[in-house]
Amino acid sequence: MSLFKHEARQFKFDILREIAEEAFQDELTEEKIQAFTKKLIPGTNADFRCCVYKEREILRQRSRLAMGKMANDEANYNPRQIVQVIEAACDGCTIKKINITDNCRKCMAKSCMGSCNFGAISMGQDRAQIDYDKCKECGACARNCPYNAIVVTERPCSQHCPVDAIRWDENDIAVIDEKKCINCGGCQAACPFGAIEDISWIVPVIQLLRLKTPTYAIIAPAIQGQFDNATLPQIKKSIKMLGFEDVYEAAIGADAVAYYENEELQEHIEKNIPLTTSCCPAFVNMAKIHFPEQYEKNVSTTVSPMMALARKLKMEHPNHGVVFIGPCLAKKQEAMEEFTAVDYVLTFEELAAMLVAQHIYCEEVTPDESDYPSVFGRNFAQGGGVSKAVVQAAKEANLPEFKAVYADGCFECKKQLLMMKVGKFDANILEGMCCPGGCIAGPATIEPAMIAKGRMNKENLTNDRKNIQESLNIFDFSGVDMHRDK
């Protein structure tokens, strides 16, 4: 089954599907990994790499990640580092960051030479030239060239990392600095070779289902529109058919988060201290690791919608497992925190592999009737939706309006946290979303964000305009601890 135009992502899905099929039959072994690779890459002709043996080694390492193991060195296994480099797949990207093109006219201004403080540029016979032993890759020459003849080219993984967590070893293979990484998945989404992937928990989840351990699934709001034209009730029923006892929308927890985060915001407004949202775990990681003062002072202590609903389910059914299904890689790390109530996290890609392995197709399923949350909770999936829900909660409580700022993407999140750090943040609340556009553009989504957003908005138009308080009257969160430990 083909789901992706990106061939690396298609290979990832194919591996996940194969492993899911074997795991559901309880026949998954290390020996079968080699069989996977030969099945997916038959013959002796290489399509993408130097030889089929390297291609198969890449798939072998992908298989290890899909089985919840390190792709490469098991000795340095860190379960909290979700994003991993597949060494065999990394091209090395042996490119120079600063290059002079044929557009160079050997002009008399010589702005490139004048702007270089390291003496790295000289004028050659045909054009300017760079001494790379002296070049510091600052980019001053490129910024000052009147012909735009000097280009700056960065490795995609490094370019899309907002916290400078990507480096490379002596062989130019990418290396992730685990002390800086926020597990946002930006590097994974950007790598054109599919050389950066996430560790999967698909095998232990399938084992739970096979053993008929009573387990609940919590689905992220961004799941709407991910499976062709299947409705959300059809998707929920399809997931239940995998063996889950029941399926709940994380948007239920989002309604509760909006309510409690508004209460926390009012306390911050009284103290004249800005507040940030806390539903995006990569954003919280960024604050915790790179802006510790803002983490302690400004980041909301209200748990994420995933955790809020998981705590409610665990409180009511302590012997049940809880599996979250979403578009986010950082959620896997969040599920390992001390305050967790989530046992495992799956991505939409992994869910799709499980459904296909069991021959379940969402559009063909007859859905069940069930209660549903407010549209405000469901819109947590879209950029700006969290702060709008908090505004709605304040409105329902007859509280004064306040000013919210939405940070769209990791780099904007970093910018706004810097503004907050230096006292230049001019609003009451900051909504930080590390994926541009929100969760519907997460690194583990299936459909393009605009397609999913259109389907989501169309489906939600048919729902009753239930407000947040009406949702909480149905889904009672009294007695649930809604705050995380600092």
Side-chain angles (χ1 to χ4, degrees):
M1 177 181 178
S2 180
L3 290 180
F4 306 101
K5 293 181 180 179
H6 192 318
E7 288 172 303
R9 291 194 69 190
Q10 184 61 47
F11 271 127
K12 177 184 179 180
F13 173 79
D14 291 339
I15 286 287
L16 287 169
R17 185 199 65 237
E18 292 283 344
I19 285 179
E21 288 179 355
E22 298 293 340
F24 271 118
Q25 298 173 24
D26 196 26
E27 296 179 358
L28 184 63
T29 62
E30 287 276 0
E31 290 73 21
K32 289 203 171 184
I33 292 179
Q34 291 296 335
F36 293 161
T37 62
K38 290 183 179 179
K39 179 179 178 180
L40 294 174
I41 303 181
T44 57
N45 295 323
D47 293 321
F48 310 106
R49 305 290 179 148
C50 59
C51 62
V52 293
Y53 306 107
K54 182 167 186 176
E55 290 183 349
R56 288 172 182 164
E57 173 58 18
I58 292 170
L59 290 192
R60 187 190 71 82
Q61 292 187 20
R62 286 190 188 281
S63 298
R64 287 182 58 79
L65 284 172
M67 295 173 69
K69 303 179 180 181
M70 286 281 288
N72 313 303
D73 185 4
E74 197 75 34
N76 295 324
Y77 179 56
N78 176 9
R80 295 175 62 84
Q81 182 56 42
I82 304 302
V83 180
Q84 299 282 338
V85 176
I86 299 175
E87 291 182 1
C90 183
D91 183 62
C93 295
T94 50
I95 56 176
K96 301 295 184 183
K97 183 176 178 179
I98 311 295
N99 286 281
I100 299 176
T101 70
D102 291 337
N103 288 343
C104 179
R105 313 306 299 165
K106 291 184 65 177
C107 69
M108 297 176 69
K110 297 181 175 59
S111 301
C112 55
M113 294 175 63
S115 63
C116 181
N117 294 322
F118 309 103
I121 298 184
S122 60
M123 200 56 63
Q125 181 176 351
D126 300 315
R127 61 185 180 186
Q129 56 191 20
I130 299 175
D131 183 345
Y132 288 105
D133 290 332
K134 298 179 179 179
C135 178
K136 304 299 182 183
E137 298 186 339
C138 66
C141 56
R143 291 191 294 272
N144 286 279
C145 176
Y147 285 102
N148 297 314
I150 305 177
V151 296
V152 179
T153 308
E154 294 190 63
R155 294 174 68 146
C157 55
S158 176
Q159 183 181 10
H160 287 80
C161 178
V163 293
D164 197 29
I166 301 286
R167 286 289 181 264
W168 27 93
D169 63 16
E170 64 278 6
N171 298 313
D172 288 320
I173 301 300
V175 176
I176 297 174
D177 186 339
E178 297 179 3
K179 294 181 180 179
K180 293 181 178 180
C181 178
I182 60 176
N183 281 305
C184 65
C187 56
Q188 175 175 321
C191 179
F193 289 95
I196 304 178
E197 295 292 0
D198 54 300
I199 292 178
S200 174
W201 293 341
I202 193 171
V203 173
V205 171
I206 291 174
Q207 288 173 340
L208 274 181
L209 300 177
R210 282 194 64 262
L211 294 172
K212 300 190 183 304
T213 304
T215 304
Y216 293 128
I218 299 176
I219 53 173
I223 202 168
Q224 280 185 284
Q226 290 294 320
F227 293 87
D228 298 319
N229 292 311
T231 65
L232 186 54
Q234 286 179 308
I235 295 171
K236 290 168 67 175
K237 181 60 179 294
S238 299
I239 296 171
K240 192 172 180 179
M241 290 168 63
L242 288 171
F244 289 97
E245 185 167 315
D246 211 343
V247 181
Y248 294 89
E249 294 184 48
I252 297 168
D255 283 331
V257 166
Y259 178 87
Y260 286 95
E261 207 153 72
N262 170 60
E263 288 189 340
E264 190 173 358
L265 174 61
Q266 300 307 317
E267 296 174 3
H268 274 244
I269 290 175
E270 289 179 6
K271 298 175 183 177
N272 198 28
I273 298 174
L275 182 73
T276 83
T277 58
S278 59
C279 63
C280 174
F283 172 68
V284 174
N285 285 343
M286 178 184 287
K288 188 174 184 178
I289 297 170
H290 300 278
F291 297 89
E293 182 180 344
Q294 277 55 60
Y295 176 76
E296 292 293 333
K297 180 181 178 182
N298 304 109
V299 177
S300 169
T301 63
T302 304
V303 294
S304 68
M306 170 187 82
M307 203 61 66
L309 183 53
R311 286 184 176 183
K312 174 178 168 61
L313 293 175
K314 285 286 191 179
M315 182 181 73
E316 296 171 352
H317 308 277
N319 296 321
H320 281 56
V322 174
V323 175
F324 178 77
I325 302 171
C328 179
L329 309 186
K331 283 291 183 188
K332 294 182 179 182
Q333 181 186 339
E334 183 185 355
M336 299 182 192
E337 299 294 343
E338 292 181 6
F339 56 86
T340 188
V342 177
D343 296 296
Y344 296 106
V345 172
L346 295 175
T347 64
F348 294 157
E349 293 173 311
E350 292 159 351
L351 171 62
M354 291 170 64
L355 290 171
V356 172
Q358 292 296 86
H359 308 289
I360 299 170
Y361 304 100
C362 299
E363 287 185 283
E364 301 173 2
V365 170
T366 301
D368 295 330
E369 293 292 331
S370 62
D371 286 321
Y372 54 88
S374 77
V375 172
F376 302 102
R378 286 182 175 178
N379 281 342
F380 266 53
Q382 301 185 28
V386 180
S387 51
K388 288 177 182 176
V390 178
V391 168
Q392 173 64 22
K395 181 180 177 181
E396 292 178 23
N398 296 315
L399 293 170
E401 293 185 3
F402 51 83
K403 185 177 180 181
V405 169
Y406 166 53
D408 190 33
C410 281
F411 290 95
E412 185 61 24
C413 287
K414 184 178 181 180
K415 174 185 172 182
Q416 293 300 332
L417 285 171
L418 280 169
M419 296 284 281
M420 197 171 283
K421 182 177 182 178
V422 299
K424 298 294 185 182
F425 180 75
D426 184 26
N428 302 113
I429 187 169
L430 168 65
E431 175 186 343
M433 285 287 188
C434 279
C435 295
C439 303
I440 56 172
T445 52
I446 298 171
E447 292 284 7
M450 291 309 295
I451 292 176
K453 183 177 181 179
R455 291 172 179 168
M456 177 186 296
N457 291 341
K458 181 180 178 181
E459 183 175 2
N460 285 340
L461 283 174
T462 64
N463 289 337
D464 296 335
R465 299 301 294 178
K466 182 185 297 179
N467 64 31
I468 291 172
Q469 188 56 58
E470 288 169 341
S471 173
L472 294 180
N473 290 340
I474 299 172
F475 307 103
D476 184 11
F477 277 80
S478 60
V480 178
D481 182 4
M482 290 294 293
H483 295 279
R484 60 176 167 79
D485 298 326
K486 279 287 189 181

